[in-house]
Amino acid sequence: MADKEATVYVIDLGESMSDCHNGREESDLDFAMRYVWDKISTTVSANRKTWTVGVVGFNTDGTDNPQDREGLEGYENISVLQEIGSMTMSSLRRLRSLIKPSHSSSGDAISAVVVALDMIEKFTKKLKYKRKIILVTNGHTPIDDDSTEDVALRLNQSSIELVVV
């Protein structure tokens, strides 16, 4: 039987992601999303119900995440664009329409990773899964590093691999 996988993509949708750098003619977001779309498309084409995907955007114009709804501070401008679940062609098309640069630059990458971490922990519980968070950013927005050690400890305790692109 194939391994179960839970992957959450945390994507910087800030206005700086619409800029072009390093001599490219495409935006930082478009350039980074080529990697993400390739990975998600591979998941869709494999058609395995045990390969699940979620997507969180930060530096978004709006806010839509469980932590903010619970009244916790520091989770503004972070939106869950897709809950963890099987990815289909229709959900991929819907997701493509949501991935675009915002007019905001106030959303914290570490807080967005916490949102993704909670999503994975709630979805996988204590079951055997390969857990992964892929953070996609150009690094042009400030990061609140007050809780990085606590977040790193939680990632390790939950056996979640963090990949930064």
Side-chain angles (χ1 to χ4, degrees), residues 6 9-10 25 30-31 35 39 42 45-46 49 58 64 67 77 96 103-104 117 124 127 135 154 156:
Y9 294 90
V10 178
E25 293 183 14
D30 291 338
F31 181 72
Y35 168 82
K39 294 294 187 186
T42 300
S45 64
K49 295 192 185 322
F58 69 100
D64 181 18
Q67 287 74 5
N77 300 94
R96 280 188 182 269
H103 302 325
S104 174
L117 198 154
T124 62
L127 301 173
L135 173 63
R154 265 185 77 189
N156 288 330

Side-chain angles (χ1 to χ4, degrees), residues 34-54:
R34 282 197 277 151
Y35 168 82
V36 175
W37 295 134
D38 180 59
K39 294 294 187 186
I40 291 176
S41 296
T42 300
T43 302
V44 171
S45 64
N47 198 23
R48 292 190 180 166
K49 295 192 185 322
T50 58
W51 288 4
T52 56
V53 174

Side-chain angles (χ1 to χ4, degrees), residues 85-100:
S86 297
M87 181 65 82
T88 63
M89 285 303 288
S90 61
S91 58
L92 181 61
R93 278 191 293 277
R94 183 187 140 299
L95 186 60
R96 280 188 182 269
S97 71
L98 297 174
I99 302 292
K100 55 186 174 273

Side-chain angles (χ1 to χ4, degrees), residues 137-155:
T137 183
N138 62 5
H140 285 238
T141 54
I143 293 178
D144 181 8
D145 62 355
D146 290 345
S147 61
T148 53
E149 289 181 21
D150 295 334
V151 173
L153 181 63
R154 265 185 77 189
L155 287 167

Side-chain angles (χ1 to χ4, degrees), residues 10-18 29 56-65 74-81 98 100-112 135-144:
V10 178
I11 302 169
D12 185 348
L13 297 175
E15 64 184 338
S16 70
M17 290 293 282
S18 64
L29 182 60
V56 174
F58 69 100
N59 289 327
T60 56
D61 288 326
T63 302
D64 181 18
N65 65 72
Y75 293 94
E76 299 82 18
N77 300 94
I78 298 171
S79 297
V80 175
L81 303 176
L98 297 174
K100 55 186 174 273
S102 69
H103 302 325
S104 174
S105 59
S106 59
D108 182 49
I110 301 300
S111 296
L135 173 63
V136 178
T137 183
N138 62 5
H140 285 238
T141 54
I143 293 178
D144 181 8

